[in-house]
Amino acid sequence: MAAAQSQYAELARQISAIGAVKRGLARILPAECPGGTAAVLTLLDRHGEMRMSRLAELLAVDMSVTSRHVAHAAERGWIERSPDPADKRSRILRLTPAGQELIDELARRTTEMFARTLDDWTDDEVGQLVTMLERLRSSFGDCRDWRYQDSYTRTPMRHET
């Protein structure tokens, strides 16, 4: 048990240090596309058009923060906001061709950065990392709506709102 606890403590330290990777990713973003805007574009690319409320949910941030990121992207012509046919008060967000071009450029830059940074890794090692990160993320599931009773139980409890 002690060995397992020390492994979990080391895992926590390593995950905390992932900030260096995130900073590296942020450095490849164009100056006019901060991280929040890139996240908006990425989610629209991955999930397709959606309402602002769904985007805020996926970003796990307040609606006002989402609105600022969306406004920034819309001002630059990367997304369009059109009335929702089902509810004229709501807007549907979708990538524009310029937004798709930017996403494609960001994907190219990201791929090149990882290829440069991990050039001494084998293809198998990169594949193992991808598999383990997918598994780690999956183990946490969609934890935005959940909290745990304490650090020793995985019994989920719904947040009361």
Side-chain angles (χ1 to χ4, degrees), residues 74-135:
E75 289 165 4
R76 281 148 186 81
W78 298 329
I79 64 172
E80 63 182 15
R81 300 175 277 196
S82 45
D84 183 344
D87 179 358
K88 298 293 185 208
R89 297 168 297 169
S90 295
R91 298 273 183 225
I92 297 291
L93 309 173
R94 68 180 55 85
L95 283 176
T96 63
Q100 187 62 58
E101 283 180 32
L102 179 58
I103 282 293
D104 294 344
E105 173 64 16
L106 294 178
R108 184 190 63 72
R109 288 180 183 206
T110 301
T111 300
E112 287 175 0
M113 185 214 46
F114 277 118
R116 232 181 4 264
T117 305
L118 305 180
D119 68 344
D120 60 337
W121 289 41
T122 66
D123 289 347
D124 187 51
E125 289 170 327
V126 173
Q128 288 175 37
L129 177 62
V130 169
T131 299
M132 298 308 290
L133 287 173
E134 286 172 347
R135 186 173 175 192

Side-chain angles (χ1 to χ4, degrees), residues 51-57 61-69:
R51 285 182 173 184
M52 181 102 66
S53 57
R54 175 70 175 138
L55 182 60
E57 181 183 308
V61 297
D62 185 78
M63 193 69 139
S64 64
V65 173
T66 302
S67 184
R68 282 194 302 274
H69 294 317

